[in-house]
Structure formats: structure tokens, C-alpha cells
Amino acid sequence: DAKTTQPNSMESNEEEPVHLPCNHSTISGTDYIHWYRQLPSQGPEYVIHGLTSNVNNRMASLAIAEDRKSSTLILHRATLRDAAVYYCILRDVRDTGGFKTIFGAGTRLFVKA
Amino acid sequence: SAVISQKPSRDICQRGTSLTIQCQVDSQVTMMFWYRQQPGQSLTLIATANQGSEATYESGFVIDKFPISRPNLTFSTLTVSNMSPEDSSIYLCSVEERDIGQETQYFGPGTRLLVL
């Protein structure tokens, strides 16, 4: 699986938008971009995923660059509950074997009240 | 989405002993996974547990150390054998569901293990 690069940490103010970047310059045409987050003392939870077009759901938006070599997870209004480690993961559409060894370090998001 | 529970939620064990962690899912799933998360680190896949066959282990993990059972489509166990302090980690169970044309993984709350 292709590798992703994320900043180690980011800080945001409560109720402000947060843009979490992810670089994946070696992404292949069959890789989906997934975002998961891990709240303190919990297992990771799914946030959003996309292939080429921007995606929106109740949790966040995913903006994918035209060349697909980078993407940005957007939290429209950060809350204290959004403080977590955010993982950007590439998953080949043909792979059904689970997310293998591609949970990188992620970005730790700090939200200030 | 699948709801996953794990037992125990945490434990403190003596070196040389073994601990079996249980994972229960509220629906039938084909693939179940076990991950380890060492203190301050990200997740690493230990093995994939399929019902009716032996588990498939990732590089660096062996069946003698981490035996896995998968007796049915809603349950699995992971045993951490002959424990040492280096085994102190969070162990997470995960399942896959296909949704919106792509697999999504759901994770249990984890089992926090401290080995003294």
C-alpha cells in the first residue's frame, strides 16, 4: 500500500474550521483515501473516504486534489470532542484483507476552548 | 455499523503468564482482525482471523505467541502467551463491512494490558 505523510500535530480553536492535510504522492489509481480518528482511550473510528471527488458527510468533508497526490480532511466547526489522532490511510479498492501496516503516526489534533 | 465488545477492558498480569482476550460482534462478519497499539504508537496488524481456517499472521507475529481462535462468525479470541513487559499494549479487535462500495473497518474499544 502507498504511504501517506501527515503533520505530527495541529492545534485549533473551538468552533473554528480545521484543515488536516495528508500527502500521498505515490497513490495509485485504485487507492481509496480513508480517514479514521482515534479519540482518547478508544479504538479508531471511521470518518470519511473518497476516490476522486470531494465528499461530505455528517462528520466532515474530504477535499481531494485533482492529481490525487494530497487530500485534506475538513472539520467545519471543531469541538473539544474532536481532539483525537487523525489517520489518513490509502486502501486499494481490490484489497479485502484489512488495513495492513498502514496506520501511520497520524496527526494529533488539539482543540482549545 | 458493527458494534464490537472486548473482554477484559484492561488487565495487569505477571510475566510468564498468558491472557486470553475475547472479541464479540453484534453481527456476522467474514473477516476479523487483531491489532496491537504499543504505548504512544500507532496500530500494527497482528493477524487476520477467518472462521473455519487458521489465522493469517503478519510479519513479526507468530501463532505460538499469539494464538487466535475463530469458532463462529461473531466471536474471536486472541491469547498473549508467556507475557513479558514488552507485551504491554492495547489490543484491538476489528471487523470489516462493505458499505458504499468500499470496505470500512470498525474497531472495538481495546484491551489495555500491563505486564509486570
Side-chain angles (χ1 to χ4, degrees):
Chain A
D1 295 291
K3 188 176 177 180
T4 63
T5 305
Q6 299 176 252
N8 290 333
S9 66
M10 291 185 65
E11 199 171 85
S12 170
N13 293 317
E14 198 176 12
E15 298 192 4
E16 290 186 356
V18 182
H19 290 233
L20 297 164
C22 180
N23 289 321
H24 28 78
S25 58
T26 59
I27 190 170
S28 75
T30 52
D31 282 332
Y32 272 80
I33 302 161
H34 287 250
W35 284 82
Y36 281 71
R37 72 179 184 180
Q38 187 171 21
L39 302 171
S41 301
Q42 295 186 29
E45 64 176 354
Y46 168 80
V47 177
I48 200 167
H49 76 274
L51 185 61
T52 56
S53 304
N54 294 344
V55 184
N56 300 294
N57 66 21
R58 62 175 179 81
M59 289 181 71
S61 295
L62 177 60
I64 301 173
E66 196 170 334
D67 63 4
R68 299 205 331 121
K69 294 186 177 181
S70 65
S71 61
T72 302
L73 179 70
I74 302 167
L75 306 179
H76 296 286
R77 286 181 68 226
T79 68
L80 297 178
R81 193 193 173 276
D82 292 320
V85 178
Y86 287 78
Y87 297 101
C88 170
I89 305 165
L90 300 184
R91 178 70 182 277
D92 193 307
V93 67
R94 301 163 296 182
D95 183 12
T96 58
F99 288 122
K100 297 185 178 184
T101 66
I102 51 172
F103 271 91
T107 297
R108 183 172 295 276
L109 175 65
F110 297 94
V111 180
K112 297 185 296 183
Chain B
S1 63
V3 177
I4 304 169
S5 60
Q6 288 184 231
K7 288 182 182 179
S9 58
R10 58 179 65 229
D11 207 343
I12 301 173
C13 300
Q14 298 297 319
R15 70 170 67 209
T17 63
S18 298
L19 176 72
T20 295
I21 302 168
Q22 299 179 5
C23 176
Q24 181 74 52
V25 189
D26 69 341
S27 59
Q28 293 186 337
V29 293
T30 303
M31 307 192 79
M32 295 179 76
F33 309 93
W34 287 98
Y35 288 82
R36 181 176 73 182
Q37 187 170 29
Q38 294 177 302
Q41 304 294 314
S42 185
L43 283 77
T44 301
L45 181 65
I46 298 172
T48 301
N50 297 317
Q51 195 261 340
S53 63
E54 273 199 10
T56 304
Y57 290 82
E58 297 300 306
S59 175
F61 298 97
V62 295
I63 188 171
D64 289 346
K65 176 67 176 177
F66 297 102
I68 288 171
S69 79
R70 182 80 199 274
N72 57 54
L73 293 175
T74 63
F75 187 79
S76 177
T77 66
L78 169 76
T79 299
V80 186
S81 303
N82 188 25
M83 288 184 285
S84 67
E86 292 72 33
D87 294 320
S88 297
S89 290
I90 300 172
Y91 292 86
L92 297 120
C93 173
S94 174
V95 303
E96 263 192 351
E97 286 190 347
R98 176 168 280 271
D99 183 36
I100 322 176
Q102 177 69 175
E103 280 79 14
T104 298
Q105 282 197 243
Y106 299 95
F107 290 82
T111 296
R112 291 177 177 271
L113 172 61
L114 176 63
V115 184
L116 302 177

